[in-house]
Amino acid sequence: MGSPYSASPRRPSRAGSIPKVTVFSSAGCHLCERALRVVEEVRVERDFDLEVVAIDGDPELEARYREWLPVVEIDGERAFVYYLDEAALLRKLGRDG
């Protein structure tokens, strides 16, 4: 524990891995449409896997996400709800990539 390097929490190495961005959306949701446009714009600058999940008709997904739409997760962790800011998404993706 004497080393200054051992005092910082260890994070798994992400070298070589590509982040996964998941957008939960619904048909007719203008905020979801905007979020998807922002994600596509950022995807030009940063490499990541993208999954778009339509919650419509799935009771479990409806219960979990409907009131928060759009929901954007990065590697399974909720990163944004309601509003997606391009600069903030770039920062979050750049932090690991």
Side-chain angles (χ1 to χ4, degrees):
M1 218 68 192
S3 168
Y5 301 107
S6 64
S8 62
R10 274 202 144 154
R11 290 180 49 196
S13 172
R14 292 186 42 88
S17 73
I18 297 174
K20 179 179 180 182
V21 174
T22 305
V23 180
F24 294 89
S25 65
S26 178
C29 169
H30 71 282
L31 293 175
C32 300
E33 293 167 5
R34 184 196 172 283
L36 287 169
R37 279 194 307 273
V38 170
V39 166
E40 290 294 348
E41 290 169 9
V42 168
R43 202 169 187 201
V44 172
E45 297 182 44
R46 294 286 195 283
D47 189 24
F48 58 86
D49 291 330
L50 174 61
E51 180 181 15
V52 179
V53 178
I55 68 163
D56 305 292
D58 183 318
E60 183 181 331
L61 292 177
E62 288 269 1
R64 185 178 302 159
Y65 296 105
R66 173 60 69 185
E67 69 180 282
W68 302 104
L69 290 179
V71 175
V72 178
E73 294 181 351
I74 300 174
D75 292 331
E77 293 186 28
R78 189 173 289 188
F80 300 94
V81 295
Y82 304 128
Y83 179 78
L84 176 60
D85 178 70
E86 180 177 350
L89 179 57
L90 281 166
R91 277 193 307 275
K92 285 181 182 273
L93 291 169
R95 178 175 66 208
D96 296 326

